[in-house]
Amino acid sequence: SFYGSVGASWNNYLFLDATLRRDASSTLPVENNTYWYPSLGMSMVLSDAFNIKGKVLNYAKIRASAAEVGNDTEPYQLKLIYALEQFQPSRGAIGGIASRTLPNPIRPTRTRSFETGLDIGFLNNRIGFEFTYYTQRSRDQINFTDLPMSAGYANQILNAGTLTNKGVEMMLSTKPVVGKNFSWDL
């Protein structure tokens, strides 16, 4: 693996973070065993950038990020595995294919995601609100599919399918009690 990360800020209210990772997997075919994971995230603390802190609004931040990741499979899925059965004096040692999975050349699963959001704090941060929108798309998912018994294998490994997730998350938080030795978050 290779991994790099860089972060920068401007006037302590605008932030940028970027990462890059490269993996080479021994569980994938040589021609498809390398994949990259880039990511980029940016946030801006609006309450600091525009000096809008007051008695009611204490904190406001917008954020956005995008990333891509890869995934491989379990070991020993690329080729047939041979084994010897336990030695029996009447038959001797008998060898054969030990794999129950028919191997196939596969590619890594790739997942791209994007997220954006808003965080706001009110009344000395006693009330908070967070909003997030996200979308995620996975392609070339690595799957095991059943085969008929006549194939000689129980299943096969292959890339198939695309899966998309989209959603909205909202959270309201409060701090109804704040004392010297006790606080209650809700």
Side-chain angles (χ1 to χ4, degrees), residues 5-95:
S5 174
V6 63
S9 69
W10 187 61
N11 283 343
N12 209 28
Y13 65 77
L14 184 62
F15 303 92
L16 177 68
D17 294 297
T19 65
L20 183 62
R21 178 176 168 173
R22 177 189 172 272
D23 279 354
S25 173
S26 63
T27 65
L28 294 171
V30 173
E31 62 275 5
N32 291 319
N33 74 342
T34 302
Y35 46 96
W36 294 86
Y37 296 59
S39 75
L40 183 64
M42 188 172 193
S43 64
M44 183 176 195
V45 182
L46 299 171
S47 51
D48 291 344
F50 301 109
N51 200 19
I52 53 174
K53 294 181 185 178
K55 291 184 178 183
V56 176
L57 178 65
N58 304 110
Y59 180 78
K61 177 176 83 169
I62 58 172
R63 55 188 161 72
S65 62
E68 181 169 298
V69 297
N71 195 15
D72 57 8
T73 187
E74 301 168 12
Y76 311 114
Q77 302 299 320
L78 300 179
K79 299 191 185 302
L80 295 177
I81 299 170
Y82 297 91
L84 292 175
E85 292 183 13
Q86 185 175 3
F87 181 78
Q88 297 177 7
S90 63
R91 296 187 331 171
I94 299 174

Side-chain angles (χ1 to χ4, degrees), residues 4 8 20-21 33 37 50 82 95 108 112 120 128 139 155 158 161 166-167 169-170 173 182:
L20 183 62
R21 178 176 168 173
N33 74 342
Y37 296 59
F50 301 109
Y82 297 91
R112 287 187 180 161
I120 303 175
R139 66 186 189 281
N155 53 34
L158 52 86
K166 292 181 183 183
E169 296 176 355
M170 290 184 278
S173 60
F182 175 79

Side-chain angles (χ1 to χ4, degrees), residues 114-151:
F114 173 76
E115 180 178 301
T116 186
L118 173 68
D119 303 341
I120 303 175
F122 300 98
L123 303 174
N124 207 20
N125 292 323
R126 303 264 316 242
I127 299 174
F129 177 74
E130 292 181 28
F131 172 84
T132 302
Y133 167 78
Y134 65 90
T135 181
Q136 181 175 312
R137 182 175 181 264
S138 297
R139 66 186 189 281
D140 290 333
Q141 292 184 312
I142 299 171
N143 293 296
F144 291 86
T145 61
D146 292 336
L147 291 174
M149 293 194 60
S150 60

